[in-house]
Amino acid sequence: MGNKKTILSGIQATGNLTLGNYLGAIKNWIKMQDEYDCYYMIADLHSLTVRNDPEVLRKRALQVLAIYVAAGLDPDKNTIFLQSHVDAHVKLNWILNCYTYMGELNRMTQFKDKSAKHADNINSGLFTYPVLMAADILVYNADLVPVGEDQRQHLEITRDIAERFNSIYGETFVIPEAFIGEQGARIMGLQDPTAKMSKSATNLNDVIFLNDNPEDIRKKLKKAVTDSENCVHYDKENKPGVSNLMTIYGLLEEKTMQEIEKEFVGKGYGDFKSAVAEAIVKKLQPLQQKYCELLENPKELKTIYEKGAKKAADRADPIVKDVYQKVGLIVNE
Ligand code: TYM
């Protein structure tokens, strides 16, 4: 791939993808596909840290793949694959586990949040989750990892693990950087704009799912929490609801916050909310149409993930071999 820098990112296959996943991650990926050598995976192994119905999980993995392509990731330009299809991830995961400290993992805020949510299933996979994520990234020697703000801490631990390994065994891993968009890195819930929009939200009005129909999108926007000022003005601290809607609108319509404020001078929240709803519908309708076509064509999806797994393994396997060699294993050629 010449001198192109390498990108890796992924999304878990648990739950339906949200507008937060799109604006925080996928939208940036699409912009990067011409300039970088991109690896985009469906993090199906990470999905096992919570309990799933096996059939549903298999279906969800394909749905995430279909969303990637429907959103505009070209399978000929990007390597798109399922994490579980490339053994190198789990091989490196084990090695990196032995170079990661319990104390570091104990500090992960997502572990704390997720253990609180799944108090009956605090498994060790949930605890060592960031190590598999580090393996995902380092096994491609990725330079950049485009993610939302909530993944920043996982990127930091990845860098720490890589630096530790390099300092013991010499230059092995590229130290990756997080690529976090200025806007949209943290899309908030529509009902609780102080918490991030999440696939696992219990209140469905809090979340726009990428497969929501126009009617639901309009209804959810109507119900979105704002404030009593009736003035479209960006102020994250004092007007979190309106500011979040402005962020969504700005990203979809490529407008700055000032431009949006100007557009809605003298207009109330009713007009503003319906404009945001229409912007979402306009973006999601073509995506959904392509998504449905792809799901009706499982052969095409299979071709994409098979080709992706092969390309990914070609890149990752030599890196794992190098690591095996360095830590003192006998490499079976
Ligand atoms: P996941 O599946 O929770 O989320 C996928 C991506 O979507 C972003 N995101 C958001 N961005 C803005 N606002 C939101 N409300 C919002 N919700 C989610 C996330 O930041 C993420 O970029 N651990 C990862 C998956 C993973 C991964 C990796 C990512 C596994 N291995 C290696 C990058 C590199 C996760 O659970 O993301």
mmCIF file of all heavy atoms in Angstrom, residues 131-174:
data_model
loop_
_atom_site.group_PDB
_atom_site.id
_atom_site.type_symbol
_atom_site.label_atom_id
_atom_site.label_comp_id
_atom_site.label_asym_id
_atom_site.label_seq_id
_atom_site.Cartn_x
_atom_site.Cartn_y
_atom_site.Cartn_z
ATOM 1 N N VAL A 131 -7.261 -4.926 26.447
ATOM 2 C CA VAL A 131 -6.048 -5.583 25.929
ATOM 3 C C VAL A 131 -6.331 -6.168 24.545
ATOM 4 O O VAL A 131 -5.497 -6.099 23.638
ATOM 5 C CB VAL A 131 -5.546 -6.688 26.891
ATOM 6 C CG1 VAL A 131 -4.184 -7.193 26.438
ATOM 7 C CG2 VAL A 131 -5.493 -6.187 28.325
ATOM 8 N N LEU A 132 -7.540 -6.724 24.378
ATOM 9 C CA LEU A 132 -7.909 -7.212 23.036
ATOM 10 C C LEU A 132 -7.985 -6.025 22.071
ATOM 11 O O LEU A 132 -7.569 -6.120 20.922
ATOM 12 C CB LEU A 132 -9.250 -7.970 23.097
ATOM 13 C CG LEU A 132 -9.788 -8.484 21.757
ATOM 14 C CD1 LEU A 132 -8.780 -9.403 21.049
ATOM 15 C CD2 LEU A 132 -11.115 -9.221 21.941
ATOM 16 N N MET A 133 -8.471 -4.924 22.569
ATOM 17 C CA MET A 133 -8.549 -3.737 21.711
ATOM 18 C C MET A 133 -7.124 -3.276 21.328
ATOM 19 O O MET A 133 -6.878 -2.909 20.168
ATOM 20 C CB MET A 133 -9.322 -2.637 22.438
ATOM 21 C CG MET A 133 -9.511 -1.414 21.608
ATOM 22 S SD MET A 133 -10.901 -0.426 22.204
ATOM 23 C CE MET A 133 -10.474 1.134 21.455
ATOM 24 N N ALA A 134 -6.211 -3.340 22.289
ATOM 25 C CA ALA A 134 -4.814 -2.981 21.978
ATOM 26 C C ALA A 134 -4.266 -3.930 20.914
ATOM 27 O O ALA A 134 -3.599 -3.509 19.960
ATOM 28 C CB ALA A 134 -3.964 -3.047 23.245
ATOM 29 N N ALA A 135 -4.589 -5.233 21.057
ATOM 30 C CA ALA A 135 -4.118 -6.211 20.064
ATOM 31 C C ALA A 135 -4.704 -5.894 18.688
ATOM 32 O O ALA A 135 -3.996 -5.945 17.675
ATOM 33 C CB ALA A 135 -4.495 -7.624 20.498
ATOM 34 N N ASP A 136 -5.988 -5.537 18.641
ATOM 35 C CA ASP A 136 -6.636 -5.186 17.357
ATOM 36 C C ASP A 136 -5.840 -4.116 16.616
ATOM 37 O O ASP A 136 -5.705 -4.158 15.390
ATOM 38 C CB ASP A 136 -8.040 -4.593 17.592
ATOM 39 C CG ASP A 136 -9.002 -5.547 18.259
ATOM 40 O OD1 ASP A 136 -8.820 -6.767 18.136
ATOM 41 O OD2 ASP A 136 -9.954 -5.053 18.914
ATOM 42 N N ILE A 137 -5.384 -3.158 17.394
ATOM 43 C CA ILE A 137 -4.730 -1.984 16.794
ATOM 44 C C ILE A 137 -3.269 -2.290 16.455
ATOM 45 O O ILE A 137 -2.791 -2.037 15.350
ATOM 46 C CB ILE A 137 -4.807 -0.794 17.785
ATOM 47 C CG1 ILE A 137 -6.281 -0.423 18.035
ATOM 48 C CG2 ILE A 137 -3.995 0.391 17.284
ATOM 49 C CD1 ILE A 137 -6.508 0.500 19.224
ATOM 50 N N LEU A 138 -2.569 -2.900 17.427
ATOM 51 C CA LEU A 138 -1.121 -3.081 17.268
ATOM 52 C C LEU A 138 -0.792 -4.170 16.252
ATOM 53 O O LEU A 138 0.267 -4.145 15.638
ATOM 54 C CB LEU A 138 -0.481 -3.398 18.627
ATOM 55 C CG LEU A 138 -0.685 -2.318 19.704
ATOM 56 C CD1 LEU A 138 -0.024 -2.732 21.018
ATOM 57 C CD2 LEU A 138 -0.149 -0.963 19.252
ATOM 58 N N VAL A 139 -1.711 -5.105 16.060
ATOM 59 C CA VAL A 139 -1.425 -6.214 15.143
ATOM 60 C C VAL A 139 -1.395 -5.753 13.680
ATOM 61 O O VAL A 139 -0.956 -6.488 12.793
ATOM 62 C CB VAL A 139 -2.422 -7.385 15.388
ATOM 63 C CG1 VAL A 139 -3.722 -7.215 14.628
ATOM 64 C CG2 VAL A 139 -1.777 -8.717 15.093
ATOM 65 N N TYR A 140 -1.842 -4.514 13.439
ATOM 66 C CA TYR A 140 -1.716 -3.932 12.088
ATOM 67 C C TYR A 140 -0.692 -2.811 12.071
ATOM 68 O O TYR A 140 -0.528 -2.146 11.053
ATOM 69 C CB TYR A 140 -3.082 -3.395 11.605
ATOM 70 C CG TYR A 140 -4.075 -4.523 11.497
ATOM 71 C CD1 TYR A 140 -4.954 -4.804 12.533
ATOM 72 C CD2 TYR A 140 -4.049 -5.369 10.395
ATOM 73 C CE1 TYR A 140 -5.806 -5.895 12.469
ATOM 74 C CE2 TYR A 140 -4.897 -6.462 10.320
ATOM 75 C CZ TYR A 140 -5.773 -6.717 11.356
ATOM 76 O OH TYR A 140 -6.608 -7.799 11.290
ATOM 77 N N ASN A 141 -0.061 -2.562 13.202
ATOM 78 C CA ASN A 141 0.803 -1.395 13.327
ATOM 79 C C ASN A 141 0.076 -0.145 12.829
ATOM 80 O O ASN A 141 0.607 0.631 12.017
ATOM 81 C CB ASN A 141 2.124 -1.603 12.594
ATOM 82 C CG ASN A 141 3.163 -2.182 13.542
ATOM 83 O OD1 ASN A 141 3.099 -1.971 14.760
ATOM 84 N ND2 ASN A 141 4.106 -2.929 13.003
ATOM 85 N N ALA A 142 -1.149 0.025 13.319
ATOM 86 C CA ALA A 142 -1.956 1.167 12.885
ATOM 87 C C ALA A 142 -1.359 2.473 13.405
ATOM 88 O O ALA A 142 -0.893 2.541 14.542
ATOM 89 C CB ALA A 142 -3.387 1.010 13.384
ATOM 90 N N ASP A 143 -1.373 3.487 12.535
ATOM 91 C CA ASP A 143 -0.884 4.811 12.940
ATOM 92 C C ASP A 143 -1.999 5.597 13.610
ATOM 93 O O ASP A 143 -1.760 6.345 14.546
ATOM 94 C CB ASP A 143 -0.422 5.606 11.712
ATOM 95 C CG ASP A 143 0.714 4.929 10.984
ATOM 96 O OD1 ASP A 143 1.845 5.038 11.481
ATOM 97 O OD2 ASP A 143 0.478 4.276 9.948
ATOM 98 N N LEU A 144 -3.208 5.445 13.076
ATOM 99 C CA LEU A 144 -4.330 6.271 13.538
ATOM 100 C C LEU A 144 -5.541 5.403 13.830
ATOM 101 O O LEU A 144 -5.825 4.452 13.096
ATOM 102 C CB LEU A 144 -4.748 7.230 12.429
ATOM 103 C CG LEU A 144 -4.069 8.573 12.305
ATOM 104 C CD1 LEU A 144 -4.746 9.379 11.204
ATOM 105 C CD2 LEU A 144 -4.129 9.353 13.613
ATOM 106 N N VAL A 145 -6.281 5.789 14.880
ATOM 107 C CA VAL A 145 -7.481 5.036 15.252
ATOM 108 C C VAL A 145 -8.640 6.030 15.407
ATOM 109 O O VAL A 145 -8.742 6.728 16.413
ATOM 110 C CB VAL A 145 -7.245 4.263 16.580
ATOM 111 C CG1 VAL A 145 -8.455 3.413 16.912
ATOM 112 C CG2 VAL A 145 -5.993 3.403 16.486
ATOM 113 N N PRO A 146 -9.501 6.119 14.387
ATOM 114 C CA PRO A 146 -10.611 7.067 14.472
ATOM 115 C C PRO A 146 -11.748 6.513 15.336
ATOM 116 O O PRO A 146 -12.367 5.505 14.987
ATOM 117 C CB PRO A 146 -11.061 7.232 13.012
ATOM 118 C CG PRO A 146 -10.540 6.044 12.287
ATOM 119 C CD PRO A 146 -9.431 5.437 13.081
ATOM 120 N N VAL A 147 -11.996 7.166 16.452
ATOM 121 C CA VAL A 147 -13.012 6.720 17.421
ATOM 122 C C VAL A 147 -13.688 7.937 18.045
ATOM 123 O O VAL A 147 -13.237 9.069 17.870
ATOM 124 C CB VAL A 147 -12.382 5.895 18.573
ATOM 125 C CG1 VAL A 147 -12.041 4.486 18.150
ATOM 126 C CG2 VAL A 147 -11.159 6.604 19.153
ATOM 127 N N GLY A 148 -14.744 7.673 18.809
ATOM 128 C CA GLY A 148 -15.371 8.721 19.602
ATOM 129 C C GLY A 148 -14.623 8.912 20.916
ATOM 130 O O GLY A 148 -13.749 8.106 21.287
ATOM 131 N N GLU A 149 -14.970 9.979 21.596
ATOM 132 C CA GLU A 149 -14.291 10.376 22.833
ATOM 133 C C GLU A 149 -14.260 9.248 23.890
ATOM 134 O O GLU A 149 -13.282 9.090 24.621
ATOM 135 C CB GLU A 149 -15.028 11.606 23.386
ATOM 136 C CG GLU A 149 -14.480 12.203 24.649
ATOM 137 C CD GLU A 149 -13.074 12.744 24.491
ATOM 138 O OE1 GLU A 149 -12.793 13.385 23.461
ATOM 139 O OE2 GLU A 149 -12.263 12.521 25.419
ATOM 140 N N ASP A 150 -15.322 8.438 23.944
ATOM 141 C CA ASP A 150 -15.397 7.406 24.989
ATOM 142 C C ASP A 150 -14.302 6.350 24.873
ATOM 143 O O ASP A 150 -14.089 5.584 25.809
ATOM 144 C CB ASP A 150 -16.790 6.740 24.992
ATOM 145 C CG ASP A 150 -17.109 6.037 23.683
ATOM 146 O OD1 ASP A 150 -16.481 6.367 22.655
ATOM 147 O OD2 ASP A 150 -17.968 5.150 23.683
ATOM 148 N N GLN A 151 -13.611 6.307 23.730
ATOM 149 C CA GLN A 151 -12.555 5.301 23.560
ATOM 150 C C GLN A 151 -11.157 5.857 23.848
ATOM 151 O O GLN A 151 -10.170 5.149 23.724
ATOM 152 C CB GLN A 151 -12.589 4.723 22.138
ATOM 153 C CG GLN A 151 -13.882 4.005 21.797
ATOM 154 C CD GLN A 151 -14.136 2.795 22.686
ATOM 155 O OE1 GLN A 151 -13.212 2.052 23.015
ATOM 156 N NE2 GLN A 151 -15.377 2.602 23.105
ATOM 157 N N ARG A 152 -11.089 7.118 24.228
ATOM 158 C CA ARG A 152 -9.783 7.760 24.417
ATOM 159 C C ARG A 152 -8.907 7.001 25.427
ATOM 160 O O ARG A 152 -7.725 6.746 25.187
ATOM 161 C CB ARG A 152 -9.964 9.210 24.866
ATOM 162 C CG ARG A 152 -8.670 10.004 24.869
ATOM 163 C CD ARG A 152 -8.879 11.394 25.428
ATOM 164 N NE ARG A 152 -9.597 12.301 24.554
ATOM 165 C CZ ARG A 152 -9.049 12.951 23.529
ATOM 166 N NH1 ARG A 152 -7.775 12.767 23.244
ATOM 167 N NH2 ARG A 152 -9.757 13.777 22.811
ATOM 168 N N GLN A 153 -9.519 6.608 26.543
ATOM 169 C CA GLN A 153 -8.742 5.937 27.586
ATOM 170 C C GLN A 153 -8.182 4.593 27.075
ATOM 171 O O GLN A 153 -7.060 4.204 27.416
ATOM 172 C CB GLN A 153 -9.645 5.710 28.800
ATOM 173 C CG GLN A 153 -8.872 5.649 30.089
ATOM 174 C CD GLN A 153 -9.750 5.300 31.288
ATOM 175 O OE1 GLN A 153 -10.840 4.742 31.141
ATOM 176 N NE2 GLN A 153 -9.265 5.609 32.469
ATOM 177 N N HIS A 154 -8.980 3.920 26.241
ATOM 178 C CA HIS A 154 -8.494 2.645 25.683
ATOM 179 C C HIS A 154 -7.316 2.861 24.736
ATOM 180 O O HIS A 154 -6.436 2.019 24.618
ATOM 181 C CB HIS A 154 -9.632 1.925 24.955
ATOM 182 C CG HIS A 154 -10.707 1.421 25.875
ATOM 183 N ND1 HIS A 154 -11.980 1.161 25.476
ATOM 184 C CD2 HIS A 154 -10.677 1.134 27.204
ATOM 185 C CE1 HIS A 154 -12.693 0.731 26.500
ATOM 186 N NE2 HIS A 154 -11.929 0.723 27.564
ATOM 187 N N LEU A 155 -7.322 3.995 24.065
ATOM 188 C CA LEU A 155 -6.199 4.310 23.184
ATOM 189 C C LEU A 155 -4.949 4.614 24.005
ATOM 190 O O LEU A 155 -3.840 4.242 23.627
ATOM 191 C CB LEU A 155 -6.563 5.504 22.297
ATOM 192 C CG LEU A 155 -6.903 5.175 20.861
ATOM 193 C CD1 LEU A 155 -5.687 4.617 20.154
ATOM 194 C CD2 LEU A 155 -8.017 4.114 20.784
ATOM 195 N N GLU A 156 -5.160 5.253 25.138
ATOM 196 C CA GLU A 156 -4.016 5.585 25.988
ATOM 197 C C GLU A 156 -3.364 4.319 26.538
ATOM 198 O O GLU A 156 -2.142 4.185 26.532
ATOM 199 C CB GLU A 156 -4.443 6.523 27.117
ATOM 200 C CG GLU A 156 -4.425 7.956 26.608
ATOM 201 C CD GLU A 156 -5.250 8.927 27.432
ATOM 202 O OE1 GLU A 156 -5.600 8.603 28.577
ATOM 203 O OE2 GLU A 156 -5.544 10.020 26.894
ATOM 204 N N ILE A 157 -4.168 3.376 26.960
ATOM 205 C CA ILE A 157 -3.579 2.134 27.500
ATOM 206 C C ILE A 157 -2.897 1.350 26.366
ATOM 207 O O ILE A 157 -1.840 0.736 26.564
ATOM 208 C CB ILE A 157 -4.615 1.279 28.291
ATOM 209 C CG1 ILE A 157 -3.886 0.219 29.113
ATOM 210 C CG2 ILE A 157 -5.650 0.638 27.435
ATOM 211 C CD1 ILE A 157 -4.780 -0.603 30.015
ATOM 212 N N THR A 158 -3.453 1.427 25.169
ATOM 213 C CA THR A 158 -2.822 0.761 24.014
ATOM 214 C C THR A 158 -1.421 1.318 23.794
ATOM 215 O O THR A 158 -0.452 0.574 23.592
ATOM 216 C CB THR A 158 -3.679 0.978 22.736
ATOM 217 O OG1 THR A 158 -4.973 0.434 22.960
ATOM 218 C CG2 THR A 158 -3.057 0.339 21.520
ATOM 219 N N ARG A 159 -1.323 2.629 23.861
ATOM 220 C CA ARG A 159 -0.013 3.268 23.676
ATOM 221 C C ARG A 159 0.950 2.850 24.782
ATOM 222 O O ARG A 159 2.120 2.573 24.532
ATOM 223 C CB ARG A 159 -0.163 4.795 23.663
ATOM 224 C CG ARG A 159 -0.901 5.319 22.437
ATOM 225 C CD ARG A 159 -1.311 6.766 22.631
ATOM 226 N NE ARG A 159 -0.167 7.629 22.885
ATOM 227 C CZ ARG A 159 0.518 8.259 21.947
ATOM 228 N NH1 ARG A 159 0.158 8.130 20.693
ATOM 229 N NH2 ARG A 159 1.543 9.027 22.257
ATOM 230 N N ASP A 160 0.439 2.793 26.017
ATOM 231 C CA ASP A 160 1.302 2.407 27.145
ATOM 232 C C ASP A 160 1.824 0.979 26.974
ATOM 233 O O ASP A 160 2.997 0.701 27.213
ATOM 234 C CB ASP A 160 0.531 2.508 28.471
ATOM 235 C CG ASP A 160 0.234 3.958 28.854
ATOM 236 O OD1 ASP A 160 0.869 4.865 28.269
ATOM 237 O OD2 ASP A 160 -0.642 4.182 29.709
ATOM 238 N N ILE A 161 0.937 0.088 26.556
ATOM 239 C CA ILE A 161 1.344 -1.317 26.375
ATOM 240 C C ILE A 161 2.393 -1.405 25.259
ATOM 241 O O ILE A 161 3.421 -2.080 25.392
ATOM 242 C CB ILE A 161 0.120 -2.214 26.038
ATOM 243 C CG1 ILE A 161 -0.900 -2.206 27.193
ATOM 244 C CG2 ILE A 161 0.557 -3.633 25.727
ATOM 245 C CD1 ILE A 161 -2.261 -2.841 26.845
ATOM 246 N N ALA A 162 2.133 -0.691 24.163
ATOM 247 C CA ALA A 162 3.062 -0.734 23.021
ATOM 248 C C ALA A 162 4.429 -0.175 23.413
ATOM 249 O O ALA A 162 5.477 -0.749 23.085
ATOM 250 C CB ALA A 162 2.478 0.061 21.850
ATOM 251 N N GLU A 163 4.404 0.924 24.153
ATOM 252 C CA GLU A 163 5.678 1.537 24.549
ATOM 253 C C GLU A 163 6.447 0.608 25.496
ATOM 254 O O GLU A 163 7.666 0.476 25.401
ATOM 255 C CB GLU A 163 5.426 2.888 25.223
ATOM 256 C CG GLU A 163 5.307 3.993 24.187
ATOM 257 C CD GLU A 163 4.719 5.295 24.726
ATOM 258 O OE1 GLU A 163 4.514 5.404 25.951
ATOM 259 O OE2 GLU A 163 4.450 6.179 23.897
ATOM 260 N N ARG A 164 5.708 -0.038 26.394
ATOM 261 C CA ARG A 164 6.345 -0.979 27.334
ATOM 262 C C ARG A 164 7.003 -2.113 26.558
ATOM 263 O O ARG A 164 8.156 -2.466 26.804
ATOM 264 C CB ARG A 164 5.280 -1.529 28.287
ATOM 265 C CG ARG A 164 5.812 -2.487 29.326
ATOM 266 C CD ARG A 164 4.732 -2.810 30.356
ATOM 267 N NE ARG A 164 4.184 -1.576 30.908
ATOM 268 C CZ ARG A 164 2.870 -1.348 31.087
ATOM 269 N NH1 ARG A 164 1.989 -2.282 30.802
ATOM 270 N NH2 ARG A 164 2.451 -0.215 31.575
ATOM 271 N N PHE A 165 6.281 -2.674 25.604
ATOM 272 C CA PHE A 165 6.806 -3.798 24.826
ATOM 273 C C PHE A 165 8.055 -3.351 24.045
ATOM 274 O O PHE A 165 9.085 -4.024 24.056
ATOM 275 C CB PHE A 165 5.724 -4.331 23.873
ATOM 276 C CG PHE A 165 6.060 -5.664 23.288
ATOM 277 C CD1 PHE A 165 5.561 -6.840 23.849
ATOM 278 C CD2 PHE A 165 6.900 -5.766 22.188
ATOM 279 C CE1 PHE A 165 5.891 -8.085 23.315
ATOM 280 C CE2 PHE A 165 7.244 -7.000 21.654
ATOM 281 C CZ PHE A 165 6.731 -8.162 22.211
ATOM 282 N N ASN A 166 7.938 -2.192 23.410
ATOM 283 C CA ASN A 166 9.076 -1.682 22.626
ATOM 284 C C ASN A 166 10.294 -1.436 23.503
ATOM 285 O O ASN A 166 11.430 -1.661 23.086
ATOM 286 C CB ASN A 166 8.702 -0.368 21.929
ATOM 287 C CG ASN A 166 7.787 -0.581 20.729
ATOM 288 O OD1 ASN A 166 7.494 -1.713 20.364
ATOM 289 N ND2 ASN A 166 7.327 0.509 20.124
ATOM 290 N N SER A 167 10.037 -0.982 24.732
ATOM 291 C CA SER A 167 11.202 -0.654 25.563
ATOM 292 C C SER A 167 11.896 -1.940 26.037
ATOM 293 O O SER A 167 13.096 -1.945 26.285
ATOM 294 C CB SER A 167 10.801 0.251 26.732
ATOM 295 O OG SER A 167 10.151 -0.516 27.709
ATOM 296 N N ILE A 168 11.177 -3.034 26.100
ATOM 297 C CA ILE A 168 11.815 -4.306 26.490
ATOM 298 C C ILE A 168 12.481 -4.980 25.289
ATOM 299 O O ILE A 168 13.608 -5.450 25.365
ATOM 300 C CB ILE A 168 10.766 -5.277 27.103
ATOM 301 C CG1 ILE A 168 10.055 -4.637 28.298
ATOM 302 C CG2 ILE A 168 11.434 -6.597 27.517
ATOM 303 C CD1 ILE A 168 8.868 -5.448 28.833
ATOM 304 N N TYR A 169 11.776 -5.002 24.139
ATOM 305 C CA TYR A 169 12.230 -5.833 23.007
ATOM 306 C C TYR A 169 12.735 -5.038 21.807
ATOM 307 O O TYR A 169 13.053 -5.623 20.774
ATOM 308 C CB TYR A 169 11.083 -6.748 22.554
ATOM 309 C CG TYR A 169 10.647 -7.698 23.643
ATOM 310 C CD1 TYR A 169 9.473 -7.474 24.364
ATOM 311 C CD2 TYR A 169 11.428 -8.810 23.983
ATOM 312 C CE1 TYR A 169 9.082 -8.332 25.374
ATOM 313 C CE2 TYR A 169 11.040 -9.674 24.997
ATOM 314 C CZ TYR A 169 9.863 -9.432 25.684
ATOM 315 O OH TYR A 169 9.486 -10.282 26.690
ATOM 316 N N GLY A 170 12.781 -3.716 21.931
ATOM 317 C CA GLY A 170 13.182 -2.889 20.780
ATOM 318 C C GLY A 170 11.976 -2.590 19.904
ATOM 319 O O GLY A 170 10.918 -3.219 20.045
ATOM 320 N N GLU A 171 12.154 -1.629 18.968
ATOM 321 C CA GLU A 171 11.050 -1.164 18.098
ATOM 322 C C GLU A 171 10.261 -2.327 17.507
ATOM 323 O O GLU A 171 10.769 -3.077 16.683
ATOM 324 C CB GLU A 171 11.632 -0.353 16.939
ATOM 325 C CG GLU A 171 11.865 1.129 17.215
ATOM 326 C CD GLU A 171 10.805 1.806 18.056
ATOM 327 O OE1 GLU A 171 9.716 2.025 17.513
ATOM 328 O OE2 GLU A 171 11.069 2.108 19.253
ATOM 329 N N THR A 172 9.059 -2.490 17.926
ATOM 330 C CA THR A 172 8.199 -3.550 17.393
ATOM 331 C C THR A 172 6.895 -2.950 16.901
ATOM 332 O O THR A 172 6.498 -3.146 15.751
ATOM 333 C CB THR A 172 7.906 -4.596 18.495
ATOM 334 O OG1 THR A 172 9.145 -5.039 19.044
ATOM 335 C CG2 THR A 172 7.118 -5.788 17.937
ATOM 336 N N PHE A 173 6.246 -2.191 17.790
ATOM 337 C CA PHE A 173 4.939 -1.640 17.443
ATOM 338 C C PHE A 173 5.034 -0.148 17.114
ATOM 339 O O PHE A 173 5.785 0.589 17.759
ATOM 340 C CB PHE A 173 3.969 -1.783 18.626
ATOM 341 C CG PHE A 173 3.671 -3.216 18.986
ATOM 342 C CD1 PHE A 173 3.940 -3.688 20.267
ATOM 343 C CD2 PHE A 173 3.126 -4.081 18.049
ATOM 344 C CE1 PHE A 173 3.664 -5.003 20.606
ATOM 345 C CE2 PHE A 173 2.840 -5.399 18.384
ATOM 346 C CZ PHE A 173 3.111 -5.862 19.665
ATOM 347 N N VAL A 174 4.205 0.252 16.159
ATOM 348 C CA VAL A 174 3.985 1.674 15.930
ATOM 349 C C VAL A 174 3.124 2.167 17.093
ATOM 350 O O VAL A 174 2.203 1.468 17.525
ATOM 351 C CB VAL A 174 3.229 1.865 14.588
ATOM 352 C CG1 VAL A 174 2.733 3.296 14.428
ATOM 353 C CG2 VAL A 174 4.115 1.455 13.425
#
